[in-house]
Amino acid sequence: MLKLQSVRAWRPNLKSCLLCTVAVLVADASATAAFARQAAESAGASDTVDAIVVTGFRKSLADARAIKRESVIQKDAIVAEDMAKFPELNLAESLQRLPGVQINREAGEGRRISLRGLGPDFARVQLNGMEVLGNVDSAQDSRGQRSRDRAFDFNIFASELFSRVEVEKTFEAAQNEGGMAGTVGLFTGKPFDYQPGSKGALSLKLGTNQYTKDTQPRIAALFSQNWDNRFGVLASIAYAKRQTTEQGHNTYNYSHPSASTMNSLVTKGLDISKLSAAQQAKFVSGDLYFADGNRLSSWDAKMERLGITTAVQWKPVDNLLLTLDGLYGQFTTHRDELHLATRPLSSTGSVAFDTAPGGVWPTVFQKPSVINSLAYDSNGYVTSMDVTGTTFGSEHRRSLNKNRFRQLALTGKWDATERLTFDGHVGYEKSTYKTPYDDKLYMRAKGNLIANYGADGQSASFQYPGWDPTNAANYAMDSFYYRSFYNQSELREGVLNAHYVLNDTLTLRAGAAYHRFRQDGKDLFYDDNVNGTRAKARGTSVGDITTVFSNNFGSWLIGDYAKAFAKYKEYHRLGPNTDGTGGALQDIENVYTTTEETVSEYVQLDWDHELFGKRLRGNVGLRGYQTDTHSTGWIQGDSYAYLGTTDVKGSYSGVLPALNTVLELTPEVQVRFSATQNLNRPGMGSMAAEGTAFKDPDSGVITASRGNPNLKPYKDTTLDVAVEYYFGKIGMFSASVFQKDIENFIGSLTLENVPFSQTGVPFTTIPGATANTIVKEFSMPVNVAGKKKLTGVELAAQADFTFLPAPFDKFGAMANYTYVDADEALTGISKTSYNATLYYETDNWGLRGSLSHRTRWYTGRNASPMSASTRGFEGSTYVDAAAFYKISEKLQVSLDAVNLTNQKDTQFWGQNRYLYNQNQSGSTYMMGLRYKF
């Protein structure tokens, strides 16, 4: 205990030291020391050779292979073919070409990655050496529409801004701890990457989508000026604008009404007389599961993305190099969600049958539903239903979502002597996610529905017989919802490393790092039960406020905001209307602030020598870390009432050993072995101190819950063995086997009959309570005992087909295959995935096609067969293509095609994989010109 206290007492001084060190290096550097550039010159020489022999996509493969081959840790890379010319339109889509990497797509575009058997939360992303924590926005609630987690969303940045991407799959002590699955490094261009003088590139592309049929501009420009490798500046900008759509059928999982509920509906007039006696008995038994929502949907968006990078490099003396990197990213989405769903007024859940609601609703709504037929499977899940008199909801949800990212990092490298080198960086980044408005315009309709989910419940088709979903006479207005969301992350980081060359074969490395992460935010819900719009709008006619909406699956009426706001004198608001309607905003959720502050230090020995005549490279080291956590959050009770603020602190520390070796059996064959430990910090939602406290007004029983900032990180022990064979200019075969044993998984702990003082929830949240007042039931997330295990195999190959006769000798291919056998508790990963690219490339033109497949994967599991906590995605196969033609050495035309087969994206729930959501986003085509100078 005394030791931990002394470490924390010493930490603030170390923090100050780390944040100031790079600046001190600038002032104290010695001009007499030689600036060691052996590695860089070697790489430059390699690039020169490659430039003579290999160009274009082949050069990208060759450069990436060189990075992998020379790395001591297990690493894969993707390198830009040229200035502002990354191989794919999207970074995530490039990454999926690497073994062990799987991605999910939304609206046809790659978003998040899973790596080596672990989901997106376990893959760390760094930008120019600093960790990136982007705030995530998804169109669908079922995909975690607004998530505060550790996963990075790759659609924030345009691929043209980056010169290379590296995926580190094993850990070394010199790397900051974290990213248990691996670390993805994103690198923007630097002026010293290019020869002295001026160099630039301009890329202009126009595209369209088969569904949206819009014009999608994509512009990128890069300019670099290098003054004799003494001083250089580089700037790049990328802008894109596009419309997207995701269309299809979906449900809200299911409703499982009780027998008493079903009998009550029949008593109220629900007509089941057309069913057989056996079906009637089953219908009211309480044994059936009904699809909720039965929804026809379209998620439409107008997206605008802007990215700007700057880099300044200065070499004031031969032994000192300074680099200042800046990046600004802006991603704005205007989204319209449009749904026609079953939403009864006087029934249960969101099922397809209803009873007479009474009240202000027009006559057409006052007839109970008639169940004409139904079918169900052996689990009691209703797979088809024919209903006359279904109540529908037409929902038009509009939102504005703004992502902003800013990063500034100063990196320094100083060769103090021929043997001693210092390097490090200090940096700051900020990521904000704001939804100024997220509104719903809600109407109701009355009609008929035949919903068929197939005999297995895994497909969907809807028919609307006997009524017109585009006729305003079948609709009535309901109400408005107004919402807003805010989230912000900040990171401050300082890193200092020292390298001392002991002799020709050994180098000693040591260093320390400071890392401070902070996140906060809040969600505001001003729904129609308090905003006053029910009273003024519900039941009124809609003929003057609607338009007909159509997608590839159907047509129906939707509300027009401009017309509806004018009619009802409404506007987006989070408080009473100027006309006096509406009460105070009371539903404010997810209000918390969480900080992590870490100081870490390491020592590592690197070697490169011969063993029995074979080259043996490697490193061994230890990394220590000490992390303090602090979270404050709202405690809320009935009707989301604010009851007080909880304030909880935590800490943890440890040491992580790492061993990485590479044995070159021949100049072409090398064997890798790694034995490492790493960690992954808990999810932000689990750590947040927000919670609830309730007192039953009748029994007086108190229940409470909160997050747990004192959670320990996930921790893994990884063994990795790989064999690699290199041949030709780009050829490579590799095979690796890895195993991870993971501990400190997070579960939920429930305590009974504990005093308030032991919960961390302020007793003042319950009037009259004291520290000794008993809480009947208290729950929070905790680390659970035991280990989870996963084992994986990765295979990869790439080669030119130069052995074929002309013209077939210009063909080449790359492919990979990954298999993961993991504990069921590890979700977010497919058991099997593979990728393949076939290309044909000459000096003047080329084309390539890529296929990417991943099998079924789960995002949650539950032991109960009919639990919606079991959910996931069915397997998918995406096909993309690209082609180019050189008009001249400086001018090139290109064609890109994304999602050529218009792949269906299918989510399911339950162990029987009943349909949850299925949509398609269409194929996207893009043609462009690229000019370099």
Side-chain angles (χ1 to χ4, degrees), residues 354-369:
D354 204 356
T355 61
V360 299
W361 297 102
T363 303
V364 68
F365 288 87
Q366 301 299 341
K367 293 181 180 181
S369 301

Side-chain angles (χ1 to χ4, degrees), residues 609-616 663-667:
H609 62 84
E610 289 191 355
L611 178 67
F612 303 116
K614 309 295 183 182
R615 185 187 180 194
L616 178 66
L663 177 63
E664 297 186 3
L665 297 178
T666 72

Side-chain angles (χ1 to χ4, degrees), residues 409-449:
L410 174 64
T411 303
K413 183 180 180 183
W414 174 36
D415 288 341
T417 70
E418 291 184 354
R419 292 180 176 271
L420 180 62
T421 299
F422 294 97
D423 66 69
H425 69 258
V426 291
Y428 171 80
E429 66 185 33
K430 183 176 182 179
S431 176
T432 59
Y433 173 83
K434 296 181 180 180
T435 301
Y437 61 82
D438 184 330
D439 300 334
K440 289 184 181 181
L441 193 166
Y442 217 71
M443 303 187 304
R444 304 281 182 156
K446 198 73 171 182
N448 311 318
L449 173 69

